[in-house]
Amino acid sequence: MLVDTALSFLALLALLVAGPAQCSPEDSESFGGTAMQGPLRFPTQVLHRQSAKATCSASAFGKQTCIFRNVCFLWRRDVPTGGWSINVTQPQTYNYISSSQAETAQVDVLLRKHLDRVTEGTSIRLQYGVNITDMASLPLTDDASFNLNKSISLEVEHAVTLLWRVGGLQESFGHALINQAYPMFLALTDQLGEEPPQYLQVLVTPEQWQGPVLPHVLSNMVSQRMRLLANYFQGVRERGKDGVCFRTLLLGDGGYAAASWASLANSGQQERHTYATGPSMFSSRNWWSFRRHAMQVAGVVQDKPNSRPLILLNDKRYRDAPGSSVLQDDRRMILDIEQLANDIRQAYPHTDVIPVRFRELAWPDQLRLLSTSTVFITTQGSSAFRLVFLPLGSSCIMVGSPELPGEQEWQSFHELDRWFPLNYVRLERYPIPYSNTSDEFVVWRKPGHWEPGGQEAARRWWLYNAHVRLHLARLKPMLDRALLV
């Protein structure tokens, strides 16, 4: 029986108009995406079982991560209604769990709000539709798929699925980690505990990756099943299915993404003041849980000890093409790094000292080195964020930047102060004094790199990004403490 569209219904009609996904070969090969050929239009009917409940982590919408059970996406307009009845009753309310108090909400409204948020600014359009009231009788068994009325075939997704909207440009390892991977993990733990299941997947919007860094970080640290939502739907269609049912669908970022952006050094967001007053999401316990999860995703054995202390030096030089013999310079490099490594070996002959160009290593190999190292020596900045993967009892010697007197915006060690209150790693600070005659730093402007407007602002920015030269005499007291000499 058909109903008047003016009535209130429990389900949604989502019109997903997916433009051509501009996926690089790396996207399709590494992250399971299926490149879409030309514009694809498929109406998507969002259904949920009438007996379903939404469980949310908070009462405030912006702080929520919610679980919806048995949500189905069906992209056929000509769905026959034979055998199905159409609900004409008023929307039913359901209880969900709040971090502060028990409240009620209409599951359909809550689902729509979260879907609207995750699809905002994309080609996805949501409209009200019809509800199938006997969804509770659908045979959502352990079978991979099932048929309805012998003409509609739906795929069943048993993996816990997080639907996530990626925001901002994530051009560096550190920003991809701080602003996306870590908030994504915290959103999962809101609902699934400190050890999310390994059999999970993440579907992201909008319709294409903005560079290779973010999908690399997310698929290596959160879930290897990391796909674009449009590509995922396309894959279901290519398998001859009329839709897909998610047994467990998570929506909402828990407010962690906004909080991470507000914590940036030069953040202009209004939420930045809450970093100093509210409970910080950047706790040592959270980082340790994230570390454990990332190592499980990568299949790296936890903290296998070395026979000799291992000292890693962060060598930020890199090859811009595989097999190239030319090393490119990056910002904040440790100068004369091979000589420094030799000096440390002579001073501590019982140790292994390795300058590491992390960009040239596969992520599991990076993790194996980091998780078994005794000391990590690095300049500050994005690549230094690997310190969270160091083992219990290790040390990180963070090298600062020269600062002009009274510098307020680009300060040394602000990343340690904001993001890494770790108690499982000893954090040592190696300051670089500012002097016009100092041999401890070299200011170098990387061609084509962003810089702030104005001559003075640009000068301070590149001073913050200067190369540094370490002296063993200054470094030795920190190494003595780290190596218990």
Side-chain angles (χ1 to χ4, degrees):
M1 178 177 61
L2 297 178
V3 298
D4 193 310
T5 56
L7 296 176
S8 299
F9 303 109
L10 294 178
L12 305 173
L13 179 63
L15 297 179
L16 178 57
V17 183
Q22 302 173 6
C23 298
S24 67
E26 291 80 6
D27 289 339
S28 297
E29 179 180 353
S30 302
F31 311 110
T34 302
M36 299 169 60
Q37 303 297 325
L40 176 68
R41 298 173 180 269
F42 44 94
T44 304
Q45 193 172 22
V46 184
L47 313 173
H48 62 81
R49 297 174 65 176
Q50 191 175 12
S51 60
K53 295 183 179 181
T55 302
C56 297
S57 60
S59 57
F61 176 73
K63 303 291 185 180
Q64 284 181 347
T65 303
C66 296
I67 284 183
F68 297 90
R69 306 288 182 182
N70 300 320
V71 177
C72 299
F73 292 79
L74 191 65
W75 35 77
R76 285 185 54 181
R77 288 180 181 272
D78 58 339
V79 177
T81 59
W84 290 356
S85 60
I86 305 300
N87 182 29
V88 295
T89 61
Q90 292 298 314
Q92 186 174 350
T93 60
Y94 302 92
N95 293 327
Y96 71 94
I97 300 173
S98 166
S99 60
S100 57
Q101 59 182 346
E103 297 184 4
T104 61
Q106 297 174 357
V107 171
D108 60 319
V109 174
L110 191 61
L111 177 61
R112 185 186 186 194
K113 286 181 66 177
H114 280 288
L115 286 174
D116 282 346
R117 185 174 186 178
V118 82
T119 59
E120 182 181 1
T122 72
S123 59
I124 299 173
R125 300 293 181 266
L126 299 177
Q127 297 177 350
Y128 281 108
V130 297
N131 177 60
I132 306 303
T133 60
D134 65 348
M135 288 293 289
S137 64
L138 291 183
L140 297 185
T141 65
D142 291 335
D143 296 334
S145 63
F146 59 89
N147 294 323
L148 297 177
N149 302 325
K150 299 181 180 181
S151 63
I152 301 173
S153 177
L154 301 182
E155 189 165 287
V156 179
E157 181 58 75
H158 292 278
V160 175
T161 301
L162 173 64
L163 187 55
W164 185 272
R165 177 175 175 79
V166 170
L169 292 175
Q170 313 296 333
E171 299 175 340
S172 69
F173 172 90
H175 281 289
L177 170 64
I178 291 291
N179 299 134
Q180 295 297 324
Y182 184 64
M184 188 178 288
F185 171 77
L186 294 181
L188 288 168
T189 61
D190 273 353
Q191 290 291 346
L192 306 175
E194 290 187 1
E195 297 188 17
Q198 292 302 297
Y199 190 58
L200 64 88
Q201 71 172 346
V202 182
L203 304 178
V204 304
T205 60
E207 289 89 352
Q208 65 186 50
W209 297 109
Q210 297 179 339
V213 174
L214 181 59
H216 174 79
V217 169
L218 295 181
S219 63
N220 278 294
M221 297 184 189
V222 181
S223 173
Q224 293 184 356
R225 297 187 65 185
M226 183 72 54
R227 306 176 189 178
L228 298 171
L229 178 62
N231 285 359
Y232 177 85
F233 279 164
Q234 173 70 3
V236 174
R237 287 175 58 86
E238 290 178 349
R239 290 189 289 274
K241 302 300 181 180
D242 299 304
V244 58
C245 287
F246 295 94
R247 296 297 300 266
T248 306
L249 185 64
L250 277 71
L251 286 161
D253 63 14
Y256 297 118
S260 69
W261 278 105
S263 70
L264 293 175
N266 60 339
S267 172
Q269 298 192 36
Q270 295 180 354
E271 297 91 342
R272 65 187 183 276
H273 69 278
T274 63
Y275 175 79
T277 59
S280 175
M281 61 189 254
F282 300 104
S283 69
S284 184
R285 176 175 178 173
N286 286 344
W287 277 121
W288 184 258
S289 297
F290 176 81
R291 174 187 185 275
R292 179 174 58 242
H293 176 79
M295 293 183 69
Q296 290 174 348
V297 171
V300 175
V301 177
Q302 294 276 346
D303 307 325
K304 184 178 180 181
N306 292 316
S307 58
R308 289 158 55 91
L310 175 61
I311 301 175
L312 302 181
L313 281 74
N314 189 1
D315 187 349
K316 298 187 67 176
R317 297 172 298 176
Y318 64 96
R319 292 181 172 86
D320 58 359
S324 174
S325 60
V326 179
L327 290 175
Q328 304 293 325
D329 290 343
D330 199 357
R331 298 175 295 148
R332 306 188 190 108
M333 296 195 311
I334 297 176
L335 299 173
D336 305 323
I337 194 168
E338 288 89 355
Q339 183 59 52
L340 177 63
N342 288 332
D343 292 343
I344 296 174
R345 291 188 191 103
Q346 293 179 12
Y348 303 93
H350 66 292
T351 66
D352 293 322
V353 184
I354 307 176
V356 181
R357 293 194 291 270
F358 286 100
R359 292 192 189 188
E360 299 179 9
L361 294 180
W363 177 246
D365 295 330
Q366 295 185 41
L367 268 186
R368 291 185 186 96
L369 282 173
L370 291 163
S371 65
T372 59
S373 64
T374 309
V375 183
F376 179 40
I377 303 174
T378 179
T379 54
Q380 61 184 18
S382 177
S383 65
F385 297 177
R386 290 173 172 85
L387 65 90
V388 299
F389 301 106
L390 296 174
L392 178 67
S394 61
S395 295
C396 174
I397 300 177
M398 183 78 73
V399 183
S401 300
E403 293 180 12
L404 292 172
E407 177 62 51
Q408 296 295 321
E409 186 172 13
W410 307 110
Q411 296 179 333
S412 291
F413 312 118
H414 75 271
E415 294 155 345
L416 289 182
D417 298 331
R418 290 172 183 266
W419 295 327
F420 305 115
L422 307 182
N423 58 25
Y424 59 91
V425 176
R426 178 201 293 269
L427 300 174
E428 297 272 7
R429 304 183 185 214
Y430 186 113
I432 299 295
Y434 175 79
S435 170
N436 290 329
T437 60
S438 174
D439 70 339
E440 295 189 65
F441 68 91
V442 174
V443 176
W444 172 75
R445 290 193 173 191
K446 185 175 182 179
H449 196 281
W450 176 88
E451 63 179 36
Q455 183 176 358
E456 178 59 22
R459 182 170 83 97
R460 289 169 31 236
W461 164 254
W462 287 113
L463 190 63
Y464 173 69
N465 289 276
H467 301 329
V468 297
R469 182 177 287 108
L470 306 188
H471 293 172
L472 184 60
R474 292 188 57 202
L475 192 61
K476 196 171 186 304
M478 302 178 193
L479 286 173
D480 286 348
R481 288 191 291 270
L483 299 170
L484 303 178
V485 176

